[in-house]
Amino acid sequence: MAPTTVDLWFDPICPWTWLTSRWLTEVERIRDVQVNWHVMSLPILNEGRLDQVPERFREMMGPKGWRPVRVLSAVADRHGNAAVGRLYTAMGTRQHLNGEDVTPDFIAGSLKDADLPADLAAVADTTTYDEAVRASHQRAQEAFGQETGTPVLAVTGADGGPVVFNGPVLTPAPTGEEAGCGTPRSCWPPPPASTRSGAPAPTAPTWADGPVPSHRPALKGARPGRP
């Protein structure tokens, strides 16, 4: 039987999304689940409204914020989904756990950590993959049904219908059986207010086996300066 597939659209610079991704990698480890990784972009989301973004975040809405998603898009194109997951783990570990800045050295080190070719770093400061990034970002917006921030998660519910939502953010990211719905904190689905699936109350994904959660919801839009 084929594994349950989960589509996650993410901007790697977002610390909240990092928590969601770590939960999903743990679910993938203990359940018959495959995560499909897709980029989305906070710089794209905030185009034309940087005046609404706090000063401390604005640098990440420019070229610095584009570097990771460009390289991840190149990796998706040339090396496939599993390699995207490895590179995201490497980038997130360096940025969100070790506090590294998103510099060219950060990109080069992340590629090395993920056992990927060093020449992929060349796309970080070019527009070669910008069209691919924008297309992936737009697919996230269309899946959710309205403008939203990172992360966007899509999964097939137990009734066969789609469940698409912004989030969830679980802090700290659960591990072990808790990640796979061992406790209410990490069970599915998210609160109905955070879903846009076309159904009034989505059913749990096929790997979930427990009660409806009361997890911490994502920040609205999950975008800097947009509470």
Side-chain angles (χ1 to χ4, degrees), residues 162-209:
V163 181
V164 183
F165 54 97
N166 175 224
V169 173
L170 299 169
T171 180
T175 58
E177 281 304 309
E178 184 184 5
C181 212
T183 71
R185 188 173 76 87
S186 60
C187 272
W188 296 57
S194 67
T195 63
R196 293 292 185 276
S197 64
T203 56
T206 53
W207 80 78
D209 183 23

